Amino acid sequence: MTSTDATGTTPAATRHGYADLGRLMALMTGDEKHGPAATSTLDALWVLYDRVLRVSPETADAPERDRFLLSKGHGPMAYYAVLAAKGFFPVSLLPGFGSYDSPLGHHPDRTLVPGAEIGSGSLGHGLPLAVGTALGLRAQGLTDPAVWVLIGDAELDEGSNHEAIAYAGAAGLDRLRTLVIDNSSATHGWPGGIASRFEAAGWSAATVDGRDHEALYGAFTATRPGRPHAVVARVEPKSA
């Protein structure tokens, strides 16, 4: 069992790498109906936490940290595996996933899961919350932290997201980043693809292979001053 320090986090020397994520996810059993929703996010989440986000267990409450909001909260096994791998909470919590007395529910709860910025539930809330977070940081003069939000392509069926997209572009929220996991599950579509929807509202946007780590990293870091940025990660479901 992985040891923890006095704060309940995993010491850096015992943290895990990308190759461990499959084993960590396998520790979580129970209601598996959202397994594809989890595996579709795994690579993008890893690249974010391993190479992009400026947040760690030691800085999880620091005002200058980057914020990551998981709007696509159903099927959170990949998110939990990445947080555990990075030492936000002990690996020993993973086997209890979804049980009555476990902090790791079928949707993350920000009051129970170390490192979680929001509690998720109904789809369509995460991007508006991210817009509010970016505005709040700007109002406090905190212009360095980036605000990331991960949404699913089907969430773009919700009108709340389109209001958030339109507002963020007009307000020039250039510390806002939206990662769209596109596994072709949306009811509606847009001429030119999902990225075009963001670009029409004044965002910069890129579409990449959602399992290509270098392509993801390049898209995550290719932002334009004065504009919010969207990355559409195309993911084909893995066969059983």
Side-chain angles (χ1 to χ4, degrees):
M1 183 172 65
T2 303
S3 61
T4 59
D5 61 20
T7 67
T9 59
T10 308
T14 60
R15 293 176 193 171
H16 304 271
Y18 176 76
D20 299 306
L21 295 181
R23 176 179 61 82
L24 297 181
M25 287 186 66
L27 295 174
M28 291 173 274
T29 59
D31 184 354
E32 301 294 340
K33 67 180 180 179
H34 288 310
T39 56
S40 68
T41 67
L42 185 62
D43 295 277
L45 282 170
W46 178 256
V47 174
L48 275 176
Y49 273 90
D50 192 51
R51 301 173 64 180
V52 179
L53 290 172
R54 296 176 305 117
V55 66
S56 67
E58 296 75 25
T59 62
D61 295 319
E64 293 292 338
R65 75 189 183 279
D66 288 345
R67 274 72 168 172
F68 174 79
L69 284 60
L70 181 69
S71 185
K72 185 180 169 72
H74 55 294
M77 292 88 77
Y79 183 49
Y80 292 154
V82 170
L83 288 177
K86 289 298 181 181
F88 284 87
F89 56 78
V91 169
S92 59
L93 290 179
L94 296 177
F97 165 67
S99 62
Y100 178 76
D101 58 351
S102 172
L104 307 182
H106 291 289
H107 276 266
D109 184 329
R110 71 175 184 84
T111 67
L112 299 177
V113 180
E117 296 280 357
I118 62 170
S120 65
S122 298
L123 297 177
H125 292 168
L127 183 51
L129 285 170
V131 168
T133 301
L135 283 171
L137 291 170
R138 175 188 281 184
Q140 296 174 69
L142 294 171
T143 58
D144 197 34
V147 179
W148 283 86
V149 57
L150 187 155
I151 70 175
D153 61 321
E155 286 193 76
L156 293 173
D157 292 346
E158 302 288 343
S160 55
N161 281 316
H162 295 280
E163 293 182 15
I165 292 168
Y167 181 86
L173 295 180
D174 59 0
R175 300 305 293 158
L176 177 62
R177 315 278 188 264
T178 298
L179 168 61
V180 185
I181 301 296
D182 179 11
N183 54 13
S184 300
S185 60
T187 301
H188 309 299
W190 299 269
I194 290 173
S196 67
R197 173 66 187 88
F198 287 87
E199 290 170 336
W203 295 54
S204 61
T207 301
V208 296
D209 181 343
R211 301 202 190 278
D212 183 329
H213 290 199
E214 292 306 317
L216 286 165
Y217 178 73
F220 290 161
T221 55
T223 59
R224 293 185 183 179
R227 295 188 183 188
H229 184 59
V231 175
V232 180
R234 287 282 301 134
V235 178
E236 297 298 329
K238 289 184 176 180
S239 58

